[in-house]
Amino acid sequence: MINKLTDTSKLCVHTITTKPWEIEQSIDEFSAAGVGGITVWRNTLEGRDITATGDRIRSNGLDVVSLCRGGFFPADTAAQRQEAIDDNKRAIDEAAALGAPLIVLVCGANPNIPLAASRDQIQAGIEAVLPYAEQHNIRLAIEPLHPMYADTRSGVNTMTQANDMAEAIGHSLVGVAVDVFHLWWDPRLEQEIQRCGDNGHLFAFHICDWKFPLDDMLNDRGLMGEGCIDVPLIRSWVEKAGFNGYNEVEIFSNRHWAKDQKVFLQEIINAYKNKS
Ligand code: ZN
């Protein structure tokens, strides 16, 4: 059964979605529009007092849903892999200061390294930062990325692989972020979402749409309803698997960023209520 989204209390918007805005304006505009949560991209925190930014978010009635992003573990040398681990520890510090309970991991890939070896390095990287995540009680979400990004962005490309890795790590702080853009095509998606939920690993749900044709592999995502993803159906699977967190709108789009972002935010809310 597909429940209609009647209000915006479970709507979260990523700061990257309204990229032209500084984080302070995103906070003010999201709050005024009745958005319930915000996922903060690390670049928006540069030069800020992170603790004060978290307080500002909460005092505007928004939940900090997650921090984007950690990951990028595979690398040619041990020294570079250690640098990645150190950067992920910094992300944990930032999440703790902000009051974000979760970091989304874009796990990384390296075209010089076979994908299976990249996945081993990803798992080793997550396990290396896990004690630090435990100290700060920050959850880590493996986000499988569409296979078109398997060259440089992620060696984890399906829910099956993400579930396998989360199960292999076997820790309550390590789970999976489901993003419809990356996963809509997978014939195993419904059962793998259920498996993820049954494991207690379903940590986040990201929505947008797959526009056709894509003018850009990275920055041409569609607003819900603009493409071919059945977002309500996938949302119903996520909910059936026990997820009751935020529906996070994450859109990278040169086309939408070129607009007045206040107009875009209203379009997001309309698409959320009617096409999600
Ligand atoms: Zn995502």
Side-chain angles (χ1 to χ4, degrees):
M1 198 183 97
I2 299 174
N3 302 312
K4 197 167 159 39
L5 294 167
T6 51
D7 64 63
T8 53
S9 59
K10 281 291 171 80
L11 167 61
C12 165
V13 181
H14 283 226
T15 57
I16 195 80
T17 299
T18 53
K19 187 181 172 191
W21 282 342
E22 301 284 321
I23 190 166
E24 291 78 12
Q25 188 172 3
S26 293
I27 295 166
D28 292 347
E29 301 285 353
F30 294 177
S31 174
V35 171
I38 184 169
T39 279
V40 174
W41 281 57
R42 291 175 73 191
N43 63 297
T44 66
L45 296 172
E46 274 166 29
R48 266 57 170 198
D49 177 329
I50 296 177
T51 304
T53 302
D55 290 343
R56 181 176 179 144
I57 291 170
R58 281 177 290 276
S59 68
N60 276 274
L62 294 163
D63 272 344
V64 184
V65 176
S66 59
L67 181 72
C68 275
R69 56 201 184 178
F72 290 100
F73 293 107
D76 291 319
T77 67
Q80 289 169 323
R81 291 193 286 279
Q82 186 58 48
E83 272 174 38
I85 289 163
D86 293 343
D87 184 60
N88 279 271
K89 288 182 178 172
R90 282 192 291 277
I92 289 168
D93 288 335
E94 291 169 22
L98 190 66
L102 173 74
I103 296 174
V104 178
L105 302 179
V106 173
C107 292
N110 181 322
N112 302 324
I113 302 171
L115 281 170
S118 277
R119 284 190 286 275
D120 290 343
Q121 293 185 5
I122 290 163
Q123 185 173 330
I126 294 171
E127 287 170 344
V129 300
L130 200 40
Y132 202 68
E134 270 179 337
Q135 282 176 34
H136 296 277
N137 198 30
I138 302 293
R139 302 202 292 173
L140 305 173
I142 298 164
E143 180 175 43
L145 260 52
H146 190 281
M148 71 177 168
Y149 301 124
D151 53 354
T152 56
R153 285 195 177 79
S154 186
V156 180
N157 305 106
T158 64
M159 272 302 281
T160 307
Q161 290 171 335
N163 280 331
D164 287 348
M165 190 174 292
E167 286 176 15
I169 294 169
H171 193 289
S172 61
L173 290 178
V174 178
V176 179
V178 171
D179 186 322
V180 300
F181 182 81
H182 298 299
L183 302 171
W184 66 278
W185 54 272
D186 185 345
R188 291 183 54 82
L189 186 57
E190 182 178 9
Q191 68 205 81
E192 290 293 333
I193 284 173
Q194 188 64 48
R195 173 186 168 196
C196 191
D198 290 345
N199 285 337
H201 288 164
L202 191 36
F203 284 5
F205 181 52
H206 297 174
I207 59 175
C208 67
D209 211 338
W210 183 284
K211 219 181 116 269
F212 43 85
L214 280 184
D215 295 329
D216 184 292
M217 278 172 67
L218 198 60
N219 293 325
D220 192 29
R221 292 192 184 198
L223 190 59
M224 297 77 73
E226 286 186 325
C228 54
I229 302 178
D230 192 337
V231 177
L233 180 64
I234 300 175
R235 180 171 59 80
S236 76
W237 296 342
V238 166
E239 289 171 356
K240 183 161 60 94
F243 181 78
N244 63 1
Y246 280 94
N247 303 301
E248 303 182 39
V249 176
E250 182 190 30
I251 298 175
F252 320 132
S253 167
N254 294 326
R255 191 168 46 94
H256 288 303
W257 289 332
K259 286 179 186 165
D260 178 337
Q261 297 297 285
K262 289 191 186 196
V263 171
F264 182 37
L265 184 58
Q266 282 310 312
E267 291 174 350
I268 289 169
I269 289 168
N270 288 336
Y272 180 77
K273 287 182 176 171
N274 298 302
K275 304 287 183 181
S276 307

